């Protein structure tokens, strides 16, 4: 993730890819500034998901494996199993399993870039964990640093509803030396410019919005390249 080419040396995007052709079309539409992904909930078994990762790896070195189900924390182990079988490069985890997951993968000789999912609370300086419990942001980020977490995923953003919280999280994470911020939920072509501009105005080194629902054709389940192109264009101006 750190060596990938990025917009302004900081910005990438995560879109779901239905298959290798869809991933190739997405990457072309985004001028390469994209990490194609899958979500674990779309597959009955980890083996099936790993086969899809292997397919996507034919055209891209890094694939993102998400939880699915709106960030369903109970799927954390399934994502780990997929990663152990396929070495995707980027995986999503709830905050409380991130460090443990990194340890499992490192010990298996399959180190991955692992984010740590937290939930905005609606209150500046307070965030939620997967079980709904609230925690002071500074305390959580100090733990993240201690446990060598690389990136904080913030979901659900509900578009720009939690933008002030997101920016605050990014600033505090950057101040502590955390590398990345990954917002998700309700992000689309109409709000991507404001969201990315706000984050680029912080010192966080790496930004990767996760953009799903409104870019996916409901009939074919494929991400629509034209919508990807529009998002990239809006975010770059």
């Amino acid at each position: 993730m750190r060596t990938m080419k990025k917009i302004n040396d900081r910005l990438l995007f995560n879109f779901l890819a239905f298959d290798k052709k869809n991933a190739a079309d997405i990457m072309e539409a985004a001028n390469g500034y994209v990490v194609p992904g899958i979500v674990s909930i779309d597959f009955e078994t980890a083996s099936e998901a790993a086969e899809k990762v292997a397919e996507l790896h034919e055209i891209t070195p890094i694939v993102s494996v998400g939880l699915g189900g709106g960030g369903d924390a109970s799927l954390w182990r399934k994502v780990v199993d997929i990663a152990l079988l396929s070495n995707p490069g980027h995986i999503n985890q709830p905050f409380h399993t991130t460090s443990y997951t990194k340890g499992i993968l490192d010990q298996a000789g399959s180190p991955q870039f692992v984010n740590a999912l937290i939930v905005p609370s609606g209150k500046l300086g307070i965030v939620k964990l997967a079980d709904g419990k609230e925690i002071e942001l500074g305390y959580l980020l100090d733990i993240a640093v201690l446990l060598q977490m690389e990136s904080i995923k913030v979901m659900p953003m509900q578009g720009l509803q939690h933008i002030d919280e997101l920016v605050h999280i990014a600033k505090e994470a950057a101040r502590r030396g955390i590398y990345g911020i990954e917002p998700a939920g309700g992000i689309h072509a109409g709000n991507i410019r404001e969201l990315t501009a706000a984050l680029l105005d912080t010192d966080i080194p790496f930004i990767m919005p996760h953009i799903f629902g409104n870019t996916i054709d409901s009939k074919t389940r494929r991400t629509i390249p034209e919508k990807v192109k529009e998002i990239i264009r809006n975010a770059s101006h």
Side-chain angles (χ1 to χ4, degrees):
M1 298 298 290
R2 292 175 183 265
T3 60
M4 286 186 69
K5 183 180 71 170
K6 306 173 183 70
I7 298 173
N8 296 324
D9 293 323
R10 297 170 68 192
L11 182 60
L12 285 175
F13 298 85
N14 174 226
F15 295 96
L16 295 184
F18 181 76
D19 55 19
K20 181 171 68 174
K21 174 66 165 58
N22 193 210
D25 290 343
I26 293 167
M27 294 182 73
E28 181 179 0
N31 297 315
Y33 298 116
V34 65
V35 177
I38 64 169
V39 289
S40 71
I41 203 171
D42 285 347
F43 301 88
E44 287 192 18
T45 67
S47 295
E48 289 178 13
E51 289 176 5
K52 182 64 67 175
V53 172
E55 177 186 339
L56 299 182
H57 266 161
E58 293 179 24
I59 61 164
T60 178
I62 298 181
V63 175
S64 177
V65 178
L67 296 160
D72 184 348
S74 71
L75 294 167
W76 74 271
R77 182 72 217 203
K78 187 176 181 181
V79 171
V80 175
D81 291 340
I82 295 167
L84 288 169
L85 290 170
S86 62
N87 193 30
H90 177 276
I91 67 172
N92 295 254
Q93 287 286 287
F95 184 91
H96 66 278
T97 63
T98 297
S99 183
Y100 178 66
T101 293
K102 283 183 67 66
I104 292 174
L105 296 171
D106 288 349
Q107 189 172 37
S110 180
Q112 308 285 315
F113 189 97
V114 185
N115 66 27
L117 171 62
I118 60 175
V119 179
S121 70
K123 295 174 279 190
L124 204 65
I126 303 292
V127 296
K128 292 182 180 179
L129 300 176
D131 62 1
K133 290 180 181 176
E134 295 186 349
I135 183 171
E136 195 270 322
L137 174 65
Y139 179 61
L140 176 134
L141 293 177
D142 288 343
I143 294 172
V145 171
L146 183 65
L147 298 180
Q148 300 180 346
M149 297 181 186
E150 297 177 275
S151 188
I152 305 298
K153 184 174 182 180
V154 184
M155 176 183 179
M157 280 294 300
Q158 297 178 284
L160 298 177
Q161 182 171 325
H162 298 286
I163 186 70
D164 291 342
E165 292 170 76
L166 178 69
V167 168
H168 184 61
I169 293 167
K171 287 179 177 179
E172 290 300 309
R175 190 167 66 83
R176 289 167 171 81
I178 293 172
Y179 178 63
I181 191 84
E182 302 178 39
I187 303 171
H188 51 73
N191 60 28
I192 189 65
R193 183 178 301 177
E194 184 174 346
L195 184 141
T196 54
L199 289 175
L200 287 167
D201 199 39
T202 73
D203 292 326
I204 198 78
F206 171 63
I207 302 160
M208 188 167 74
H210 294 240
I211 306 170
F212 303 139
N214 65 82
T215 65
I216 298 174
D217 187 303
S218 60
K219 293 181 180 178
T220 67
R221 295 172 56 204
R222 296 173 180 271
T223 293
I224 303 166
E226 291 76 16
K227 291 196 173 185
V228 171
K229 188 176 293 186
E230 182 184 11
I231 286 168
I232 302 299
R233 183 175 61 247
N234 289 355
S236 303
H237 293 84

